[in-house]
Amino acid sequence: MNNVSKVADLIEKRQIAKLGGGEKRIESQHSKGKYTARERIEMLLDEGSFEELDMFVTHRCTNFGLEKEKYLGDGVVTGHGTIHGRVVYVFAQDFTVFGGSLSETMALKICKAMDMAMKVGAPIIGINDSGGARIQEGVTSLAGYAEIFERNILASGVVPQISAIFGPCAGGAVYSPALTDFILMTEQNSYMFVTGPKVVKSVTGEDITTEDLGGANMHNSKSGVSHFKVEDEQKGIELIRELISYLPQNNLEDAPIEETNDPINRLEDSLNEIVPDNPNMPYDMKNIIHGIVDDGKFLEVHAGYARNIIVGFARFNGVSTGIIANQPNFLAGVLDCDASRKAARFVRFCDAFNIPILTLVDVPGFLPGSGQEYAGIITHGAKLMFAYGEATVPKVTVTIRKSYGGAHDVMSCKQLRGDFNYAWPTAEIAVMGAAGAIEVLEGRAIKGLTDPTERAKFIEEKTAEYKDKFANPYQAASYGYIDDVIEPRNTRFRVIRAFQALQTKKLVNPLKKHSNIPL
Ligand code: HXC
C-alpha cells in the first residue's frame, strides 16, 4: 500500500467506524424516535468541536464466535468537545453495536475519557442507551462496570457528572448514572431498573409494565432517581447545555458569570402583597423566585419529585446560585423524608462546586405521623441539617412566612452558619404555630371551660396574644438571629448585596478523613 492509499484507507476506516453497527441498525434506531450516539454528541457539543478518541478500538471477545463480528469503536463513542466554549468530556453508548452492551474494551474507552476529564478538570457527560453487560463477555464486563463506578465515585465532588438516559439502562448498569450528580430521562424510550418486569414477575409474581417499573414518569415523581424529565432527546440535550451553563468546570473554579441587563436594584412591587393575610392560605413560591432572580430565569431540578420543596439554579447579577425554597402550594411546604433528601443532596452539590446558596423559608414544620417516623424522618431530616451545617459556601436565607420548630433550625438558620439571615415582615418564627401552642400551654384551662362561647373566646384571646408575641420576625431579630427585616419588593437587591459582600468568604471545616452524614 503506498502512502496515498494509506490515507484513503484511513478515510474509509473512519467512514466505516462512523456507521457503528451499520445502516440497518441506524434505521432501526431512528424508527424508534432515537438518535445515534454520534448524532447525540453532535447536537450536544458546540458545532465542530467534537474530537473523537479510540475510534479504532474493537472488542477482544472470542466467545460465541464473536471474533467474527467486530465494529470499529465498539459500542461507545467517546471524546471531548466544548459547550458554550468550555471543555467537556463525553461518552455515548451506541445501541447499534451489540445494543450498546458494555464490553471490556468499551469500559476502557469510557474510563480513558473519565480519566482525561479528571486530569484537566472538566465535566463528564454520559449518554446511556444500552442492553447492560455484554452477555458474551461474562465477568470482564462486570469488572468494566466496576472500573467505571470507581471513577464515578472518585470524580464525585471534583468535576460535575451528568447522565442522560436515552434508552434502556438496566441491571447493575444503573449504578453509574446513580453515582453522578444529575440524571435526565426522556419521556419515551428511557427506563432504569435493577431488575426488569420479567424478573419481577418470576420472583415476586408482580405484573408491571416497563414504564411503571422504571420509566421517566415514575423516576421523576416517585423514586426521585431522575432529576429531569424531558419530552425528547433534543429537549434533553438543550437542558444539559443549559445546566452546564450554571456549573463550574470543577471544584476549584467558580461557575461562569453571565452578564445581565436586569438591574440589581429592580423593585418587584407584587412581592409586597404576595403573602396572604390568612396564614393557612397557600401561594406559589415560584412567583417569588421568578420575581427576584436575573431575568426571571430559573432552572428547576427535581421539579416533579417532593414538590413541597423547590430546588434549582438561577443567577443573581450574573452569579450562578442554588436556590432551596419551601413550597406552600404543595403539602403546605412541610418537610418530609423525600423533601429533606432532595434538598440535602442539592445543598451538597452546590457546596461541592462553590455555588452560593439562597434559602427561602416558609415551612410549618416536619410532617408528623407514623408514616414519616417509620420511614426515618429523623435520619432524613438530619441529612438536610447536616448538609446546611457543613456547607461553607456563602449562604443567604430569607424567611418569607412560617419558620417553625426543628424545621426553622434545619432551613439554614443563623446557628447553622447562615451568613445573612433576612426576614420579611410577614415572617413567623417560633417553636410552633399558634393553634398547637395554645393547646399545649392552655390545655388544662380550656378543658375547665364548659361554656362553648366562653371557651372559644378564651382560645381566640390566647391565640391573638401568642401571635402578637411570636408570629413575627422581631423576636428573632431582637436576638440577632435575623440580621434584618426587609421590604419584600426589595428582596432582589438585598440578596445581591449580601452575596456581593460574601464573595471573599473563607470558611474551612475541621480536618477529617470525611464526615459521616446520616445516610
Ligand atoms: C449482548 C446484546 C445485549 C447484551 C442487546 N444485545 N443486549 N448483546 N449483550 N446485554 C444485542 C441484541 O442481541 C441485538 O443484536 C441488539 O443488541 C439489539 O437488541 P434487541 O433485543 O434487538 O433490541 P430491543 O428489542 O430494542 O431490546 C433491547 C433490550 C434487549 C431490552 C435491551 O436487547 C434486552 O433485554 N437485552 C438484554 C438485557 C440484559 O438482560 N442485559 C444484562 C443485564 S445484567 P442484533 O445483532 O440482533 O442487532 C447487567 C449486569 C450489569 O447488565 C452489572 C453491572 C454491575
Side-chain angles (χ1 to χ4, degrees):
M1 206 186 270
N2 64 26
N3 285 350
V4 173
S5 309
K6 282 181 186 169
V7 174
D9 180 51
L10 167 68
I11 292 168
E12 194 191 339
K13 280 200 167 80
R14 280 189 181 285
Q15 274 164 353
I16 292 169
K18 284 186 179 169
L19 283 178
E23 270 162 7
K24 253 179 98 178
R25 292 196 183 92
I26 292 176
E27 265 169 42
S28 157
Q29 180 84 345
H30 286 161
S31 72
K32 292 178 199 154
K34 292 161 75 177
Y35 288 99
T36 65
R38 284 194 177 77
E39 286 165 347
R40 287 164 175 165
I41 289 178
E42 286 300 328
M43 288 193 290
L44 175 67
L45 301 177
D46 296 339
E47 207 181 330
S49 70
F50 182 48
E51 292 289 337
E52 188 168 339
L53 299 170
D54 288 338
M55 192 187 248
F56 302 112
V57 164
T58 54
H59 74 73
R60 297 165 188 161
C61 181
T62 52
N63 302 325
F64 301 97
L66 224 61
E67 68 277 9
K68 294 188 211 96
E69 193 179 353
K70 290 197 175 188
Y71 302 91
L72 289 179
D74 205 4
V76 68
V77 181
T78 61
H80 60 86
T82 59
I83 293 182
H84 312 303
R86 294 189 298 152
V87 173
V88 295
Y89 274 78
V90 289
F91 65 87
Q93 293 163 342
D94 184 351
F95 195 80
T96 69
V97 176
F98 299 110
S101 58
L102 192 99
S103 65
E104 178 203 2
T105 47
M106 246 176 90
L108 288 173
K109 280 183 69 170
I110 294 172
C111 288
K112 187 196 270 186
M114 294 175 87
D115 290 343
M116 286 304 299
M118 284 289 276
K119 208 185 284 181
V120 302
I124 301 166
I125 301 166
I127 299 178
N128 295 259
D129 185 3
S130 162
R134 176 104 27 111
I135 295 166
Q136 298 91 329
E137 293 210 4
V139 78
T140 56
S141 173
L142 298 187
Y145 270 118
E147 292 284 354
I148 297 169
F149 299 154
E150 181 63 30
R151 280 165 178 79
N152 286 134
I153 294 162
L154 295 180
S156 181
V158 181
V159 294
Q161 300 182 80
I162 299 170
S163 302
I165 316 294
F166 285 170
C169 183
V174 296
Y175 287 109
S176 175
L179 292 165
T180 65
D181 299 305
F182 298 103
I183 297 180
L184 172 152
M185 294 180 78
T186 45
E187 267 172 33
Q188 311 290 330
N189 292 328
S190 77
Y191 54 86
M192 296 177 79
F193 36 63
V194 170
T195 46
K198 279 185 197 149
V199 177
V200 170
K201 173 77 182 161
S202 70
V203 175
T204 70
E206 185 189 5
D207 254 322
I208 189 157
T209 63
T210 300
E211 174 59 29
D212 286 347
L213 186 64
N217 285 324
M218 191 288 283
H219 280 310
N220 281 275
S221 59
K222 284 197 169 80
S223 74
V225 164
S226 172
H227 301 80
F228 301 100
K229 181 179 74 171
V230 288
E231 222 174 285
D232 53 34
E233 293 184 20
Q234 242 161 344
K235 293 247 160 61
I237 276 164
E238 280 164 25
L239 197 141
I240 295 173
R241 288 180 60 89
E242 188 185 351
L243 175 60
I244 280 281
S245 77
Y246 287 99
L247 311 183
Q249 289 292 90
N250 55 61
N251 64 332
L252 300 177
E253 292 183 20
D254 290 330
I257 305 278
E258 195 172 294
E259 297 298 328
T260 175
N261 293 322
D262 198 351
I264 63 166
N265 58 354
R266 172 170 55 77
L267 294 175
E268 190 66 27
D269 289 334
S270 64
L271 298 187
N272 276 5
E273 290 162 18
I274 198 168
V275 176
D277 284 332
N278 179 348
N280 299 324
M281 286 283 287
Y283 61 90
D284 191 350
M285 182 64 88
K286 283 186 198 163
N287 289 334
I288 298 182
I289 296 173
H290 289 291
I292 61 176
V293 300
D294 287 1
D295 309 301
K297 261 173 66 181
F298 177 57
L299 176 62
E300 189 172 359
V301 177
H302 259 148
Y305 175 71
R307 285 159 50 208
N308 33 332
I309 202 154
I310 301 166
V311 303
F313 298 103
R315 292 187 185 84
F316 285 99
N317 198 26
V319 179
S320 177
T321 306
I323 298 181
I324 296 98
N326 310 111
Q327 172 57 293
N329 238 359
F330 193 84
L331 295 176
V334 78
L335 276 181
D336 57 8
C337 295
D338 291 348
S340 303
R341 286 194 306 119
K342 165 177 161 177
R345 182 144 174 87
F346 187 73
V347 168
R348 295 195 100 216
F349 177 83
C350 292
D351 188 49
F353 289 103
N354 314 316
I355 298 172
I357 292 171
L358 172 69
T359 305
L360 302 174
V361 183
D362 188 347
V363 63
F366 280 100
L367 183 61
S370 57
Q372 287 293 306
E373 296 294 351
Y374 296 172
I377 184 67
I378 296 173
T379 310
H380 297 302
K383 287 184 175 107
L384 182 52
M385 167 102 70
F386 202 109
Y388 268 124
E390 193 184 37
T392 56
V393 288
K395 292 184 285 190
V396 175
T397 305
V398 182
T399 302
I400 307 295
R401 187 168 64 173
K402 296 170 194 168
S403 184
Y404 284 125
H408 161 78
D409 276 7
V410 168
M411 291 302 295
S412 200
C413 71
K414 195 80 185 160
Q415 293 73 18
L416 291 183
R417 304 192 298 185
D419 294 304
F420 290 116
N421 289 58
Y422 295 143
W424 284 11
T426 45
E428 306 169 15
I429 303 170
V431 174
M432 58 166 75
I438 296 310
E439 226 166 82
V440 175
L441 297 177
E442 305 294 345
R444 201 175 299 164
I446 293 169
K447 259 191 208 147
L449 294 168
T450 46
D451 177 36
T453 322
E454 234 178 89
R455 181 192 284 184
K457 190 164 167 271
F458 178 78
I459 292 175
E460 197 181 310
E461 278 170 11
K462 287 290 171 194
T463 305
E465 196 183 313
Y466 182 89
K467 277 187 178 167
D468 268 358
K469 197 162 174 53
F470 293 119
N472 62 61
Y474 298 106
Q475 202 211 10
S478 75
Y479 287 99
Y481 304 159
I482 289 294
D483 297 298
D484 198 6
V485 182
I486 63 174
E487 201 184 338
R489 67 184 187 141
N490 201 24
T491 302
R492 171 175 166 78
F493 184 58
R494 297 300 300 267
V495 166
I496 289 175
R497 286 270 284 251
F499 280 127
Q500 281 174 340
L502 290 166
Q503 256 172 20
T504 50
K505 177 182 175 185
K506 279 197 179 65
L507 184 61
V508 178
N509 287 330
L511 264 181
K512 56 183 101 173
K513 186 173 177 192
H514 58 70
S515 57
N516 188 16
I517 188 165
L519 292 173

